[in-house]
Amino acid sequence: MEKESSTGRKAVSAEQSVSQTRSMKKILSGDSIFKGITICFALSILFILLLMVYEMGRESFPSIRQFGLKFITSSTWDAVAEDFGALPFIYGSVISSLLALLLATPLSVGTAIFVTEISQKRIGGIISALVELLAAIPSVIYGLWGVLVMAPWLQRSVQPFLIDHFGYLPFFQGAPYGVSMMAAVIILMIMIVPIITSISKEVLMAIPQSQREAAVALGATRWEMIRMAVLPYGRSGILGAVILGLGRAIGETMAVTMVIGNTPQISLSLLSPAYTMPSVIANEFAETTTRMHSAALMEIGLILLAVTLLVNVLARLLVWSVTRGTAGGGRIQ
Amino acid sequence: MGIKLKLEGVNVFFGNNRAVKDVNIDFHANMVTAIIGPSGCGKSTVLRSINRMHDMVPSARVTGKILLDQTDIYEKNADPVSIRRRIGMVFQKPNPFPAMSIYDNVIAGYKLNGRANRQESDEIVEGSLKRVALWDEVKDRLKKSAMELSGGQQQRLCIARTIAVRPEVILMDEPCSALDPIATAKIEELINELKEQYTVAIVTHNMQQAARVSDYTAFLYLGELIEFDRTGKIFTNPEKKHTEDYITGRFG
Ligand SMILES: Nc1ncnc2c1ncn2[C@@H]1O[C@H](COP(=O)(O)OP(=O)(O)O)[C@@H](O)[C@H]1O
Ligand SMILES: [Mg+2]
C-alpha cells in the first residue's frame, strides 16, 4: 500500500517536471482525482483519531484535575460520593489479559509451528481455516457461551476441584461463583488464539527456506531445525503477534463483561469476580448522573486507548521487522 | 585412491517431472568433482540427492543407489540425519543464522551431537575458522552477529560451520555465485586445501572455475549425464561433441 502510493507520487512529480501542460491534464484525469479522494479518506482516519483523543481529553479534564495520579492508585469507586479511583479496573484488565496471553501463546505458537513446519499442506490448511473461523465468531456469542455453559461448568466442577486440592494457594481461595477472573481468562484465551496463530503463521512462512536447509544440512532433526533456525529467526515477529493478541485482550469488552462478574475489587484469587476497564465503561456510561462520573469513565477510556495504541504500534513494528520484503508473507523457495 | 561416493542410476522426480535421469557418477576420495551444465539441467537436484535434501520436498522422489562407502544412503533403515552429518552442504547464497553470533554459528552443527564443553567448543571454533582463513578477520568479534560480515566472509563462515561437524564429504552448490572475484578466489583456494581432508563435490556454472578447482568433471544436460571424466580430459579432449560445444561456449 505505502510503497504503491509513494511510487505513484514520484511518477506524478516526474510528470510535472517534464511538461506543465501535460501535468495539468494529469491532475484533472480520473486517476489523480481517485488518488486525491483516497488520500482524503486515509487522512480523515488519522483526523478522527486525533479528534477522539482531544475530545476524550477535554471530557475527562474534570477528573484528571480533581484526582491527579490518585486516579490510578486508588481503589475507591463511589459514584455517590464522587470519589473515583481506577486501580481495580486497571488491575482486572492487566491480569486477565496477561494470564490469557500466558495460556494462549504456547497454544498459538505451537499450532503455527505445526501448520507451517510439521503437518501436510492440506491438513495444515484445514487447521488454519478452523482457527481463523474462531476469529469470526461475534464476541457476544463467546460471552453467551461463557455465561451459560462455561461459567456453570467452572462453578460445578473445576472450581470446587481447585479449592479442594489447591485451596492453600492464594489463587484458588473463596467460594466458587462461576463468573470470575478465571472465566474471563479462559474466554479471552480462546478469543486471542486465532490472531496470535495466524500472525505467527505469517511470520514463520516468511522465513527463508534457506534457513531451514542450513539447519537440516548440519544434521538437525525437524525439531532441532525449528529450535535452531525457525524460532530464532521469527522471534521478534512472534513476539509482535503475541503483543497484538495482548492488544486484542485488553480491548475486549462484551464477552469479558458477561463472564467476569463486574465487581471492582483486587483479589489474588482467580475464583473471585473482577472488573475491567472496558467493562466498567460499557456498564456505567448510560447511567451517569454527574459530570464527574462521566469524566472519570472518559479518563479510563483515555488510559485504555493509550495502552492499546501503544501495544498495537509496538506489535506491528515487530511483525514488520520479520515479514518485510516478502509480499503477503509467502514462503521464499 | 578409492571411490568415496557412487551414484548408480539415480533418478529424481518432482511429481511426474523426471528432473534427473539415470545418472552415474563416481566421487573419488580426497578429490574435487565438479558438476557443470546449463542452468536448469539438474545440477542442484543431483547434489541435493546426495545428502537427502529432497526429503524436505514432499513431491520429490529419488530412485537408484547412492553409495557412501558402499552403503546405500537411501536404504530403508538409513538415517538421513546421521547421513547429513557425514555429508555436509554449502549453499549458493550464504545462509548464516542471523540470530546467532559468529561463534555460535560455527559451533551450531557440532552442538547437535550433544553437549560440547567450553574448551572443546573453543578449539573447534578456532580450528574451523582457521581452516577457512577467517580466524584473523573475526577473532576479536566472535560474539558479534554473523550478519556484520561481508558476503564472502559469510560464505567462509558457512563452510567453517559445515566442517566443524567433521563431515567426510562436502557438497557445494555454486558457492561463489553471490561473491565478488576476490572472495571467489579465496573460496577456490580453500576448496583446494579442503580436499586434503574431505571429498568435495562442487556445482558450478562457471567453466573456468571447474577447470581451476576440480580433478573430475561431470557434464549434465537436461537431467542426463552426458560425460564424466578427468577434468583435464573434459576440457581439452572431450569424447562427446555435445560436451565440446558446451565447453567452447557454442551453447548454454
Ligand atoms: N523443489 C522443486 N520442485 C519442483 N521441481 C523442481 C524443484 N527443484 C528443482 N526442480 C526442477 O528440476 C529441474 C532442475 O533444477 P536444478 O537442479 O535446480 O537445476 P540447476 O541447478 O542445474 O540450475 C528444473 O527444471 C526444475 O523445474
Ligand atoms: Mg542450481
Side-chain angles (χ1 to χ4, degrees):
Chain A
M1 272 284 279
E2 263 165 40
K3 241 185 234 160
E4 264 167 32
S5 70
S6 84
T7 48
R9 228 173 286 134
K10 247 182 248 156
V12 169
S13 69
E15 206 105 357
Q16 274 169 347
S17 64
V18 172
S19 143
Q20 201 66 34
T21 46
R22 246 186 89 199
S23 80
M24 280 303 287
K25 245 186 248 162
K26 195 84 189 169
I27 285 173
L28 295 176
S29 75
D31 246 14
S32 42
I33 291 173
F34 179 70
K35 200 167 87 188
I37 292 172
T38 51
I39 287 176
C40 280
F41 284 159
L43 286 179
S44 69
I45 290 170
L46 190 66
F47 178 72
I48 289 170
L49 180 67
L50 288 176
L51 195 68
M52 211 152 76
V53 172
Y54 171 76
E55 276 296 322
M56 290 176 78
R58 206 168 55 92
E59 289 283 325
S60 59
F61 189 69
S63 157
I64 294 173
R65 193 182 44 195
Q66 171 85 22
F67 304 113
L69 259 188
K70 226 189 98 222
F71 189 75
I72 55 172
T73 58
S74 154
S75 303
T76 317
W77 187 263
D78 188 340
V80 179
E82 294 198 6
D83 189 6
F84 296 108
L87 189 60
F89 310 110
I90 297 173
Y91 175 85
S93 279
V94 168
I95 298 297
S96 61
S97 304
L98 286 182
L99 288 181
L101 207 62
L102 207 65
L103 297 177
T105 299
L107 197 62
S108 309
V109 176
T111 307
I113 289 174
F114 179 75
V115 165
T116 56
E117 312 291 330
I118 297 169
S119 78
Q120 288 172 344
K121 241 201 183 109
R122 223 162 49 87
I123 295 173
I126 294 171
I127 292 175
S128 318
L130 287 178
V131 169
E132 264 146 47
L133 210 61
L134 284 181
I137 299 174
S139 85
V140 69
I141 304 290
Y142 278 109
L144 213 54
W145 175 81
V147 78
L148 294 179
V149 180
M150 186 187 64
W153 174 67
L154 289 178
Q155 187 173 24
R156 262 196 331 268
S157 24
V158 179
Q159 295 183 340
F161 174 87
L162 290 170
I163 293 168
D164 285 349
H165 294 88
F166 301 99
Y168 51 88
L169 293 173
F171 313 116
F172 304 115
Q173 284 174 359
Y177 290 107
V179 288
S180 56
M181 176 66 97
M182 179 184 260
V185 166
I186 296 172
I187 282 282
L188 279 177
M189 176 197 80
I190 300 171
M191 294 180 77
I192 63 178
V193 159
I195 189 171
I196 304 181
T197 305
S198 65
I199 294 172
S200 298
K201 203 185 82 189
E202 293 286 303
V203 166
L204 295 182
M205 288 199 315
I207 296 175
Q209 189 66 5
S210 65
Q211 286 290 312
R212 297 184 180 85
E213 289 180 345
V216 167
L218 288 172
T221 60
R222 171 117 43 172
W223 167 239
E224 286 166 338
M225 173 197 87
I226 291 168
R227 215 188 42 197
M228 189 164 140
V230 174
L231 288 180
Y233 195 101
R235 202 165 45 189
S236 57
I238 291 172
L239 186 65
V242 170
I243 296 177
L244 223 48
L246 179 65
R248 174 90 209 273
I250 291 178
E252 175 51 40
T253 311
M254 199 60 220
V256 172
T257 307
M258 289 167 82
V259 301
I260 200 168
N262 300 326
T263 313
Q265 59 180 1
I266 296 176
S267 162
L268 269 184
S269 176
L270 299 176
L271 309 184
S272 329
Y275 221 151
T276 65
M277 294 191 274
S279 299
V280 71
I281 296 173
N283 281 333
E284 297 191 2
F285 213 82
E287 41 207 58
T288 54
T289 46
T290 62
R291 179 82 213 281
M292 193 56 84
H293 191 181
S294 62
L297 287 176
M298 273 292 181
E299 193 176 349
I300 292 184
L302 210 54
I303 296 171
L304 187 62
L305 183 68
V307 171
T308 44
L309 276 184
L310 203 73
V311 160
N312 272 284
V313 168
L314 182 65
R316 301 276 173 200
L317 282 177
L318 286 167
V319 172
W320 174 80
S321 76
V322 175
T323 54
R324 76 184 143 184
T326 56
R331 181 178 297 188
I332 303 173
Q333 287 286 0
Chain B
M1 277 293 166
I3 289 169
K4 180 74 187 170
L5 188 71
K6 196 174 176 65
L7 270 55
E8 281 183 10
V10 169
N11 292 279
V12 183
F13 299 84
F14 294 104
N16 290 326
N17 171 28
R18 188 172 168 207
V20 168
K21 297 161 193 158
D22 227 351
V23 165
N24 300 286
I25 306 177
D26 293 342
F27 295 84
H28 294 253
N30 299 95
M31 299 236 177
V32 177
T33 303
I35 301 175
I36 61 170
S39 179
C41 71
K43 304 181 294 294
S44 301
T45 305
V46 167
L47 202 70
R48 293 160 65 89
S49 66
I50 300 174
N51 66 345
R52 297 195 53 164
M53 243 7 194
H54 295 307
D55 291 11
M56 290 179 78
V57 182
S59 67
R61 194 161 53 85
V62 179
T63 66
K65 281 186 179 171
I66 297 184
L67 304 171
L68 174 65
D69 291 334
Q70 277 100 49
T71 315
D72 188 1
I73 64 168
Y74 280 94
E75 230 176 45
K76 271 226 159 48
N77 48 8
D79 169 27
V81 168
S82 57
I83 286 161
R84 295 192 193 107
R85 283 179 192 162
R86 295 176 64 193
I87 305 178
M89 186 162 195
V90 176
F91 296 83
Q92 191 164 351
K93 251 184 78 200
N95 54 357
F97 300 118
M100 290 185 195
S101 66
I102 293 170
Y103 185 101
D104 290 338
N105 259 283
V106 178
I107 204 69
Y110 184 84
K111 267 186 5 199
L112 293 172
N113 288 319
R115 291 235 65 82
N117 70 40
R118 181 77 211 188
Q119 195 201 340
E120 200 183 339
S121 299
D122 287 351
E123 280 168 13
I124 286 164
V125 169
E126 184 173 342
S128 306
L129 287 172
K130 278 186 171 155
R131 199 85 192 72
V132 301
L134 194 57
W135 175 251
D136 289 330
E137 291 161 55
V138 303
K139 63 170 185 268
D140 300 322
R141 45 176 173 151
L142 290 172
K143 291 287 158 215
K144 293 273 175 61
S145 163
M147 301 320 281
E148 286 185 11
L149 302 176
S150 70
Q153 289 174 322
Q154 285 184 17
Q155 193 62 303
R156 276 182 286 154
L157 178 67
C158 290
I159 298 173
R161 178 176 72 182
T162 300
I163 62 181
V165 184
R166 312 238 159 98
E168 298 156 39
V169 179
I170 298 178
L171 311 174
M172 298 180 161
D173 191 354
E174 304 195 24
C176 304
S177 67
L179 307 181
D180 61 61
I182 294 171
T184 299
K186 280 193 177 156
I187 304 267
E188 286 181 8
E189 202 182 307
L190 176 60
I191 291 169
N192 227 331
E193 287 169 17
L194 286 177
K195 70 178 182 182
E196 288 165 18
Q197 266 179 309
Y198 309 96
T199 302
V200 179
I202 178 172
V203 162
T204 175
H205 61 244
N206 177 336
M207 279 172 289
Q208 286 77 31
Q209 182 169 66
R212 281 193 300 263
V213 302
S214 71
D215 304 291
Y216 283 86
T217 296
F219 171 53
L220 285 188
Y221 185 67
L222 295 179
E224 288 182 70
L225 179 70
I226 304 296
E227 191 166 352
F228 173 66
D229 213 323
R230 287 201 158 271
T231 299
K233 176 94 166 40
I234 292 273
F235 280 88
T236 54
N237 185 22
E239 297 286 329
K240 301 266 168 52
K241 175 85 170 51
H242 212 144
T243 314
E244 190 182 341
D245 287 351
Y246 182 68
I247 302 292
T248 52
R250 239 166 282 164
F251 80 98

